[in-house]
Amino acid sequence: MQYIEKGHRWFIVHTISTNTNDLKYMIEKKLQHPYVEKFVQKPFVDTDKLELLEYMYNQIQLPITIKHQHILTIMLVQIALDTHEQIPNENQDSLMNETEKQLSVLAGDYYSGLYYLLLSELEEVSMIQVLASAIRKINEHKMVVFYEDIQSTHELLHVISQIESTLFTDVALYQGIDQQVINVIQIALLLHRVEREQSIHGIIATYIKQHQTSIGKDVRLQLKEMYHLHKKQLENELMKLPYQHFSFSHALRHKFELSFNTSVAEEG
């Protein structure tokens, strides 16, 4: 069975189906708005996170149309959060003028409105509550990073991990996903964010710059060391997964270049 080149997908080839492309197309169609597209950068749809949601929902007994509606909604939440995240606060340098900032805020609000519309169509009050709670917690973690002193790289990565994973882990917990899988999701999303930012200026680089004085000058070396520690932690968590998650485990090992010489735990 052929695996896709590292860094592009989490799952083996046969799981990257027409279904994934269809979901991405549906998300992009939902995001289309002529005025927003004229003034705001096209939003990024993280295909790795989309496939992660697909894997999560494959573990759940729900009609396929409901699964797709949930996945679309969660991805719209993520995109809305990402859009608002791009707007610099008063402590950050930015090339954005005030008009661009205001339009980005409105774009994020527009994407937020889309997911509430989708959920209202499903009349799922409990799911709305889960997502609203996750959004509140994520914004609280962002406030910690923006306005409070971070004293160590460990503390910084812990907060970033919460920002990256809370939406997914809260949904997984609500849907009854195994805690072992949730643990893996949390670590994998942090590693995914760090890897994605190796060649771009993103949230971690921004946070490091903001807290470099309190954390120390060797923060990037510390970050590299912490990254490798989290890879080891992920490897340990993958060893605990039951056999039915073998393909998921194998794909994560491939993505993050972990060893393949350990066996997954026997089911039961």
Side-chain angles (χ1 to χ4, degrees):
M1 195 173 297
Q2 183 183 0
Y3 284 81
I4 286 184
E5 181 183 352
K6 175 194 173 291
H8 291 277
R9 294 291 183 270
W10 288 5
F11 301 102
I12 41 184
V13 169
H14 69 76
T15 64
I16 304 171
S17 59
T18 304
N19 187 49
T20 304
N21 292 328
D22 287 347
L23 283 168
K24 185 177 180 182
Y25 176 77
M26 291 165 67
I27 293 167
E28 290 172 343
K29 289 290 288 183
K30 287 286 184 184
L31 293 171
Q32 285 180 352
H33 191 288
Y35 186 79
V36 173
E37 291 176 350
K38 184 177 179 180
F39 294 102
V40 180
Q41 183 178 354
K42 185 178 179 180
F44 169 66
V45 180
D46 192 326
T47 312
D48 284 330
K49 287 185 176 179
L50 176 57
E51 289 174 356
L52 174 61
L53 283 173
E54 277 198 90
Y55 184 81
M56 283 170 49
Y57 272 87
N58 281 339
Q59 317 303 310
I60 304 166
Q61 296 299 316
L62 283 175
I64 190 67
T65 54
I66 302 298
K67 289 183 180 183
H68 285 180
Q69 199 82 331
H70 280 204
I71 292 170
L72 288 177
T73 302
I74 295 162
M75 288 300 297
L76 288 173
V77 171
Q78 183 66 62
I79 290 165
L81 289 167
D82 290 343
T83 301
H84 281 145
E85 190 176 271
Q86 294 168 9
I87 304 161
N89 64 21
E90 62 270 22
N91 297 322
Q92 296 171 292
D93 299 327
S94 173
L95 298 176
M96 272 188 177
N97 60 42
E98 285 304 311
T99 301
E100 290 171 329
K101 290 178 185 178
Q102 292 169 7
L103 288 171
S104 294
V105 170
L106 291 174
D109 292 343
Y110 170 68
Y111 302 146
S112 299
L114 288 176
Y115 68 72
Y116 279 120
L117 174 62
L118 285 173
L119 286 175
S120 67
E121 291 172 352
L122 286 175
E123 299 182 350
E124 291 199 45
V125 176
S126 58
M127 188 63 174
I128 292 175
Q129 291 172 336
V130 169
L131 294 180
S133 174
I135 293 166
R136 174 184 56 79
K137 288 187 279 188
I138 290 168
N139 286 329
E140 287 173 354
H141 290 304
K142 288 182 179 181
M143 291 303 99
V144 169
V145 174
F146 288 143
Y147 299 110
E148 297 183 19
D149 287 336
I150 302 286
Q151 299 298 322
S152 68
T153 308
H154 174 78
E155 184 181 352
L156 177 63
L157 284 184
H158 173 73
V159 178
I160 291 173
S161 176
Q162 296 302 311
I163 292 169
E164 284 299 301
S165 66
T166 295
L167 177 62
F168 294 83
T169 55
D170 280 15
V171 169
L173 191 62
Y174 170 73
Q175 297 291 4
I177 301 294
D178 291 345
Q179 185 60 51
Q180 291 171 321
V181 175
I182 294 175
N183 294 342
V184 167
I185 288 170
Q186 184 171 15
I187 304 168
L189 284 172
L190 173 60
L191 293 174
H192 173 57
R193 183 74 198 219
V194 174
E195 285 203 346
R196 191 159 68 86
E197 290 204 10
Q198 287 180 349
S199 59
I200 65 172
H201 179 78
I203 184 173
I204 297 177
T206 300
Y207 293 166
I208 286 174
K209 183 177 180 181
Q210 183 169 333
H211 294 280
Q212 189 156 351
T213 301
S214 59
I215 294 175
K217 293 183 179 179
D218 60 345
V219 61
R220 295 191 181 276
L221 176 60
Q222 294 176 39
L223 184 64
K224 185 176 180 180
E225 291 173 350
M226 291 297 299
Y227 173 75
H228 287 294
L229 285 174
H230 280 84
K231 282 181 69 171
K232 291 297 294 182
Q233 186 181 0
L234 177 61
E235 190 163 23
N236 290 336
E237 291 297 329
L238 289 174
M239 290 176 64
K240 301 175 186 177
L241 287 182
Y243 185 76
Q244 66 262 32
H245 301 293
F246 175 78
S247 62
F248 179 53
S249 174
H250 202 132
L252 285 173
R253 289 179 182 280
H254 186 262
K255 174 179 172 63
F256 296 115
E257 297 185 321
L258 304 178
S259 65
F260 286 83
N261 59 357
T262 51
S263 59
V264 269
E266 291 297 326
E267 187 173 1

